[in-house]
Amino acid sequence: MRSWNRRDVLALAGALSLPALTGCLGAGGNGVTPGLLVSNLSRDTDPTVSADDLRAQVRANTAFALDLHQSQVDADDTGNLFLSPISVSLAMAMVWAGARGETETQIAETLHYLGDQSDLHTTFNRLDLALEPPEDAEDDAFRLDLVNALWGQESYPFSDDYLDTLAVNYGAGLRTLDFATAPENARETINEWVAEQTEDRIEDLLAEGTIDDGTRLVATNAVYFKAKWAHTFSAGTTTDGAFTAIDGSEADVPLMRQTAPFPYADVDGTQVVELPYVGEDVSMVVVLPPEGEFASFERSLDADGLHGLFDALELSSGTVVLPRFTFGSKVGLNQTLADLGMPDAFDHNRADFSGMVEDGTQQDLAITDVAHQGFVAVDEEGTEAAAATGVVGGVTSMPLEEFEFVADRPFLFAIRHRETDSVLFLGRIVDAATAQ
């Protein structure tokens, strides 16, 4: 994918690596200069996708986002959480391009991919292009970068068809490294690329030992977003106030406050407010369930429900009180994705990624690691966030005229692209005191 160089308040990076699967070229800090395998085909910058098909895949992406979110909550329901589901979806899509048979089916069902291989990649290409900021976006007020890269074992027989799919739909060539004899140098090169794409917010996406001499491919997806609020909060109005955590404990945290017109809705007692960023193409939607009902609401929320909240928003005048927060999340997704429905991809005896190699043979490829890392900072000026996904594989309601929205108890938040309704980031704050 190409880099979007226009917006400034959030950072995301994703990396996917398969010890036989998968950039920006140039030597890294360790002096390693990747080679490059490229298709003869260029990026399709005007893919044909109907509005209905795009809307359906966006809704499906949201379903996966909530599956992913809930799986992490099930593992730990007491902590704050911040993920970028779109990063996971994109990184896995580049791997799915080489999956076949039952592996292909399981990944598609788990990630909620619609259509066949051709349809899905074309739709993701259209979505990526739709997310691109307008030409007149101001770099100092809003920046949104989205970049894909694939890293492969040099001299490995990657299929021309696979390289064509990556080039046409993701704008990605395949950078070659020597995983077989210098895996640690290769890992450092990929991590340096990710750090560069995310303004150093994600510095060690792939942990030591993630890459070994069996690695054949690493697929990386990086997103960086940084933006100012369209209506900034005045620092002078921020005061300490009590936040009641999900366990019932109270702690004083900095609470930002402002009164202004905002898109707002009250749906069966659940308050929703939208805080647009400069340019108003992207916003943060904050969802505050009724007191005492956060856990049950979060558990029952599905894609239709979340998009229904988006649709219910209407401009109203009111007061918003929101805590400042800064925190990060780091999770391993191997077991999560297997439990959600794609176990074969992690099993060397059953995984089928034969679509990646020239002769179409199995090559004993399987995903060995999927890691995701996120960071978010929200203050009076705006939002900064970073996230990264790494996949490693290898051989063996009615609007109110006035409202008061006080987020002094657990809430959900989503950063979404307003035109497409794509959820770029999804998080929960259940203990604001630990997010300071």
Side-chain angles (χ1 to χ4, degrees), residues 102-103 106 341-348 350-353 365-366:
E102 184 62 18
T103 301
Q106 289 182 4
M342 47 174 282
D344 285 11
F346 300 93
D347 187 330
H348 282 275
R350 293 185 294 176
D352 183 353
F353 290 104
L365 298 180

Side-chain angles (χ1 to χ4, degrees), residues 22-260:
T22 31
C24 174
L25 286 174
N30 59 10
V32 176
T33 302
L36 184 64
L37 289 177
V38 295
S39 166
N40 292 326
L41 303 180
S42 58
R43 176 76 178 272
D44 182 357
T45 58
D46 189 23
T48 301
V49 178
S50 73
D52 288 344
D53 287 347
L54 182 61
R55 187 179 304 109
Q57 186 58 60
V58 166
R59 187 69 60 98
N61 289 348
T62 302
F64 169 69
L66 292 167
D67 287 349
L68 186 65
H69 176 92
Q70 190 58 51
S71 70
Q72 298 308 306
V73 172
D74 290 343
D76 178 12
D77 63 1
T78 64
N80 302 321
L81 180 65
F82 184 70
L83 303 171
S84 175
I86 193 68
S87 176
V88 179
S89 293
L90 286 168
M92 284 303 307
M94 291 189 290
V95 174
W96 186 66
R100 297 295 182 266
E102 184 62 18
T103 301
E104 178 182 6
T105 299
Q106 289 182 4
I107 294 175
E109 291 177 350
T110 299
L111 276 291
H112 296 263
Y113 294 156
L114 304 180
D116 59 17
Q117 287 275 358
S118 176
D119 291 338
L120 185 282
H121 300 304
T122 302
T123 300
F124 268 22
N125 188 15
R126 169 52 66 194
L127 177 59
D128 175 42
L129 294 167
L131 295 175
E132 187 172 2
E135 292 295 331
D136 59 353
E138 300 178 14
D139 286 348
D140 61 343
F142 192 109
R143 178 177 167 188
L144 177 59
D145 299 343
L146 179 58
V147 190
N148 284 335
L150 295 173
W151 314 78
Q153 170 63 37
E154 59 186 24
S155 301
Y156 192 77
F158 290 103
S159 163
D160 287 342
D161 288 343
Y162 183 63
L163 295 176
D164 288 348
T165 297
L166 300 177
V168 171
N169 299 289
Y170 299 97
L174 195 149
R175 297 159 174 77
T176 58
L177 294 169
D178 187 2
F179 297 121
T181 64
E184 185 60 16
N185 285 342
R187 183 184 72 89
E188 291 177 0
T189 297
I190 295 170
N191 279 348
E192 288 166 5
W193 180 87
V194 171
E196 180 180 357
Q197 303 307 314
T198 60
E199 300 293 339
D200 293 327
R201 286 302 188 182
I202 306 296
E203 294 187 325
D204 293 298
L205 176 63
L206 300 178
E208 188 172 353
T210 301
I211 303 298
D212 60 25
D213 58 7
T215 298
R216 295 296 176 269
L217 180 80
V218 178
T220 52
N221 164 260
V223 183
Y224 183 83
F225 171 73
K226 185 178 181 183
K228 294 180 179 178
W229 301 120
H231 305 284
T232 58
F233 292 79
S234 170
T237 63
T238 298
T239 58
D240 286 348
F243 185 97
T244 303
I246 198 167
D247 63 2
S249 62
E250 289 189 1
D252 284 345
V253 301
L255 295 175
M256 308 182 296
R257 176 187 300 268
Q258 70 166 295
T259 300

Side-chain angles (χ1 to χ4, degrees), residues 229 233 258 260-267 270-276 283-289 309-310 312-322 403-407 411-416 418:
W229 301 120
F233 292 79
Q258 70 166 295
F262 290 106
Y264 173 81
D266 186 318
V267 181
T270 293
Q271 291 182 281
V272 189
V273 69
E274 182 175 33
L275 307 176
S283 67
M284 177 182 286
V285 178
V286 187
V287 180
L288 185 67
L309 296 178
F310 294 164
L313 293 164
E314 293 194 24
L315 192 64
S316 303
S317 181
T319 298
V320 173
V321 178
L322 186 69
F403 68 88
E404 186 175 48
F405 185 99
V406 182
F411 61 88
L412 299 170
F413 66 100
I415 295 176
R416 69 155 180 159
R418 300 174 89 184

